[in-house]
């Protein structure tokens, strides 16, 4: 029976008096999230997941495990935090079709082992290749990464790790270096498009500068890049000082032997030899040049200097040939964390290393290009609101599968923005996208064997949402 209730709050004269009931028909919420489900279909992700998870199907008439995995990714992209949030999709069959129950979703996740995970990643790579091809045909291709107001050639991959707090005992969750408790996953994002190329779920005790983990995450990320871009395109790999290990940098350099034009830009810990070099450089003020702001203009009170030639030969020999070291110094702002060395010298110092040669930009641009690595912190921050801020299970393998679907959810958002949206919405953070587009309510009507999704005429972003669906309908598909 419908339930009705009359609002008894005293009227202020600015809002109409309302009567609330739960008997509405043909009305759906989260209508914009249908874009995400359809993007998964038109990029071939749904079909790829179906093939990858075919062995998990228990009976022919049951739910397709690949479709279940896509629905989970759509739910995560839409802001869901737990498997029970699938109810938002499942209870709106007119919009999302048949959606699996929570126990079925749990069974699919529990069936994902390392071999299945590898097949899911292959399906993601195939879908990415098609999405990039669609972008090249219908838009202006891939966005360009920017630094100090200037474009950065090729693709820019940012690696970074982050602690995810766990509030209960989970397999491999442990104390972290920050004296918290949880996991310590490592990620790689593509700065050009904000796509989540790869991620590795690790125990909380995992080290920040583990060479093997960085190599694994980078290789998985490179495998996600279509061949036409992986070979023949400059690929810059950025990391903070956790990525400044001799083994990882040698691996990046060795990829050139396999046809990949890879370079690195990493933070460097300031040890005794580097401190001595900075002191020597401080005695030659003419060698310091102004650092650049994000808009490319000189930054007041900040300077950069190359100190490669001031470092001992035995230290430089540990790095790949051609590695350059650039130091930035700046008057510290109030509250800045300073080392004893910084306190004595009166500047806050940061050092980075890169194997980009002298003919490929000034040291000002190279240093600003490295500082743009900080954008990965935004990717991780929004990623924690898109699936990997909490993990659903006590079982590590299930949480690893959840992480993969969270990365997929981030990709669905990125593809939706690059292929279907313009202006601010094309670069908006997920929270904004959900508020303006994904969570909008609409009415479903049927006539002449057609189903129509009617968005409220007065919704501020109704036209953009309709345009997105129109563009979705005409995205080019491969000829079969």
């Amino acid at each position: 029976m419908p339930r009705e209730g009359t609002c008894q709050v005293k009227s202020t004269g600015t809002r109409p008096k309302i009567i609330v009931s739960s008997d509405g028909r043909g009305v759906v919420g989260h209508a914009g999230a249908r874009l995400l489900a359809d993007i998964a279909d038109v990029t071939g992700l749904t079909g790829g997941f179906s093939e990858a998870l075919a062995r998990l199907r228990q009976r022919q008439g049951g739910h397709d495990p690949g479709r279940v995995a896509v629905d989970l990714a759509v739910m995560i992209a839409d802001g869901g935090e737990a498997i029970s949030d699938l109810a938002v999709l499942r209870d709106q069959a007119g919009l999302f079709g048949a959606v699996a129950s929570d126990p079925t979703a749990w069974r699919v996740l529990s069936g994902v082992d390392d071999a299945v995970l590898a097949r899911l990643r292959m399906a993601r790579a195939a879908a990415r290749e098609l999405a990039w091809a669609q972008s090249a045909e219908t838009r202006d291709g891939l966005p360009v990464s920017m630094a100090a107001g200037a474009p950065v050639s090729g693709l820019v991959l940012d690696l970074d790790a982050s602690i995810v707090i766990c509030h209960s005992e989970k397999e491999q969750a442990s104390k972290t270096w920050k004296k918290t408790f949880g996991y310590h996953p490592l990620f790689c994002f593509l700065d050009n498009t904000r796509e989540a190329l790869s991620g590795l779920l690790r125990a909380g005790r995992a080290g920040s500068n583990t060479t093997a983990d960085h190599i694994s995450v980078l290789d998985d990320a490179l495998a996600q890049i279509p061949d036409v871009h992986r070979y023949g395109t400059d690929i810059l790999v950025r990391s903070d000082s956790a990525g400044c290990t001799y083994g990882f940098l040698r691996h990046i350099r060795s990829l050139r032997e396999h046809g990949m034009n890879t370079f690195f830009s990493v933070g460097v810990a300031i040890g005794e030899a580097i401190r001595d070099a900075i002191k020597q450089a401080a005695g030659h003020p003419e060698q310091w040049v102004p650092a650049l702001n994000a808009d490319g203009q000189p930054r007041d009170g900040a300077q950069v200097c190359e100190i490669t030639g001031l470092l001992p030969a035995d230290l430089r020999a540990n790095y790949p040939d051609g590695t350059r070291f650039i130091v930035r110094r700046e008057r510290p702002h109030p509250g800045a964390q300073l080392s004893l060395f910084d306190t004595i010298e009166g500047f806050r110092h940061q050092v980075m290393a890169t194997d980009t040669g002298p003919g490929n930009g000034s040291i000002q641009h190279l240093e600003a290009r490295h500082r743009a690595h900080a954008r990965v912190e935004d990717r991780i921050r929004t990623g924690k609101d898109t699936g990997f801020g909490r993990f659903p299970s006590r079982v590590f393998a299930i949480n690893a599968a959840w992480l993969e679907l969270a990365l997929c959810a981030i990709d669905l958002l990125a593809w939706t923005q690059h292929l279907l949206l313009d202006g601010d919405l094309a670069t908006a953070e997920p929270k904004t996208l959900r508020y303006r587009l994904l969570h909008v309510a609409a009415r479903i009507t049927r006539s002449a064997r057609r189903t129509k999704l009617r968005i409220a005429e007065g919704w501020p972003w109704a036209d953009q949402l309709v345009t997105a669906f129109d563009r979705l309908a005409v995205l080019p598909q491969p000829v079969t």
Side-chain angles (χ1 to χ4, degrees):
M1 293 288 293
R3 292 182 293 108
E4 294 189 0
T6 302
C7 181
Q8 300 297 325
V9 179
K10 182 182 292 187
S11 173
T12 63
T14 60
R15 297 187 180 92
K17 189 175 181 179
I18 62 172
I19 296 177
V20 181
S21 68
S22 61
D23 56 350
R25 296 184 179 182
V27 180
V28 295
H30 296 246
R34 176 61 189 264
L35 283 174
L36 304 173
D38 288 351
I39 276 288
D41 292 344
V42 300
T43 57
L45 184 69
T46 305
F49 273 16
S50 295
E51 293 181 11
L53 298 172
R55 298 178 185 175
L56 302 184
R57 191 161 193 163
Q58 294 184 340
R59 61 184 187 278
Q60 192 60 35
H63 287 279
D64 177 0
R67 168 67 186 279
V68 175
V70 167
D71 285 342
L72 283 168
V74 170
M75 178 268 291
I76 292 171
D78 192 43
E81 295 184 334
I83 290 177
S84 59
D85 291 333
L86 267 179
V88 172
L89 279 61
R90 183 170 52 249
D91 293 346
Q92 302 187 101
L95 181 62
F96 295 103
V99 176
S101 65
D102 294 351
T104 299
W106 275 107
R107 283 195 296 270
V108 170
L109 286 176
S110 64
V112 178
D113 56 17
D114 288 343
V116 175
L117 206 57
R119 293 199 295 271
L120 288 176
R121 289 168 179 164
M122 291 176 61
R124 285 183 59 216
R128 192 182 319 280
E129 183 174 15
L130 180 52
W132 287 19
Q134 291 167 334
S135 178
E137 190 165 337
T138 64
R139 312 287 274 185
D140 296 327
L142 298 180
V144 177
S145 181
M146 301 292 292
V152 179
S153 173
L155 303 177
V156 180
L157 276 60
D158 286 311
L159 280 77
D160 199 13
S162 182
I163 291 173
V164 177
I165 302 297
C166 293
H167 298 285
S168 62
E169 292 286 345
K170 298 181 186 294
E171 187 179 4
Q172 294 196 37
S174 61
K175 290 184 179 180
T176 72
W177 64 275
K178 285 191 173 182
K179 304 186 186 304
T180 54
F181 181 85
Y183 291 127
H184 191 195
L186 178 64
F187 304 97
C188 180
F189 289 86
L190 180 62
D191 186 60
N192 303 63
T193 63
R194 303 184 301 280
E195 291 169 86
L197 296 182
S198 64
L200 178 65
L201 188 61
R202 306 186 300 169
R205 68 176 68 89
S208 297
N209 56 349
T210 305
T211 298
D213 290 347
H214 278 75
I215 291 175
S216 176
V217 170
L218 176 59
D219 287 350
D220 286 346
L222 292 171
Q224 287 292 314
I225 299 174
D227 286 351
V228 68
H229 294 276
R230 192 187 316 142
Y231 302 101
T233 302
D234 288 348
I235 299 177
L236 177 67
V237 180
R238 295 190 301 206
S239 172
D240 57 18
S241 59
C244 187
T245 63
Y246 305 145
F248 183 51
L249 300 185
R250 284 196 296 268
H251 178 73
I252 296 173
R253 175 61 64 84
S254 72
L255 293 171
R256 298 183 188 180
E257 301 172 6
H258 302 281
M260 287 176 262
N261 200 24
T262 49
F263 301 87
F264 61 80
S265 179
V266 297
V268 179
I270 300 179
E272 182 178 357
I274 291 180
R275 285 196 294 269
D276 290 342
I278 293 173
K279 289 180 180 179
Q280 293 181 56
H284 299 277
E286 73 281 359
Q287 296 181 6
W288 294 80
V289 294
L292 301 179
N293 278 320
D295 60 0
Q297 297 301 311
R299 181 176 178 84
D300 186 38
Q303 298 173 308
V304 295
C305 177
E306 182 167 357
I307 59 172
T308 307
L310 301 177
L311 294 173
D314 57 344
L315 186 148
R316 286 185 280 123
N318 293 320
Y319 292 83
D321 292 341
T323 298
R324 305 167 65 192
F325 296 83
I326 298 170
V327 61
R328 169 192 174 93
R329 68 180 185 185
E330 185 171 13
R331 292 295 181 186
H333 59 78
Q337 294 184 351
L338 303 177
S339 67
L340 179 60
F341 173 73
D342 291 337
T343 302
I344 295 173
E345 295 296 319
F347 289 96
R348 183 186 182 191
H349 295 87
Q350 295 171 303
V351 180
M352 50 84 62
T354 181
D355 59 347
T356 299
N360 293 283
S362 65
I363 61 171
Q364 295 164 290
H365 177 70
L366 296 181
E367 192 275 333
R369 184 188 70 175
H370 178 72
R371 268 190 296 119
H373 168 70
R375 287 194 288 258
V376 74
E377 297 179 7
D378 290 331
R379 305 287 85 79
I380 291 176
R381 173 179 53 81
T382 57
K384 287 185 175 181
D385 289 330
T386 313
F388 62 73
R390 56 185 296 179
F391 291 93
S393 177
R394 294 180 180 272
V395 180
F396 184 83
I398 292 178
N399 290 334
W402 176 272
L403 174 60
E404 195 67 26
L405 294 182
L407 301 180
C408 180
I410 295 170
D411 286 347
L412 290 177
L413 290 169
W415 297 342
T416 297
Q417 291 181 290
H418 297 314
L419 292 172
L420 308 179
L421 301 177
D422 293 314
D424 293 341
L425 289 176
T427 57
E429 290 194 351
K431 186 176 181 179
T432 301
L433 204 62
R434 292 168 190 142
Y435 183 83
R436 297 182 178 183
L437 291 190
L438 302 186
H439 293 177
V440 66
R443 180 179 293 277
I444 289 181
T445 62
R446 295 176 178 85
S447 64
R449 296 182 180 181
R450 299 183 65 185
T451 300
K452 292 186 178 181
L453 187 65
R454 298 183 177 275
I455 301 161
E457 184 179 14
W459 186 250
W461 301 278
D463 290 342
Q464 290 94 322
L465 187 53
V466 172
T467 299
F469 276 107
D470 290 342
R471 288 175 176 168
L472 178 68
V474 297
L475 280 179
Q477 295 293 297
V479 178
T480 56

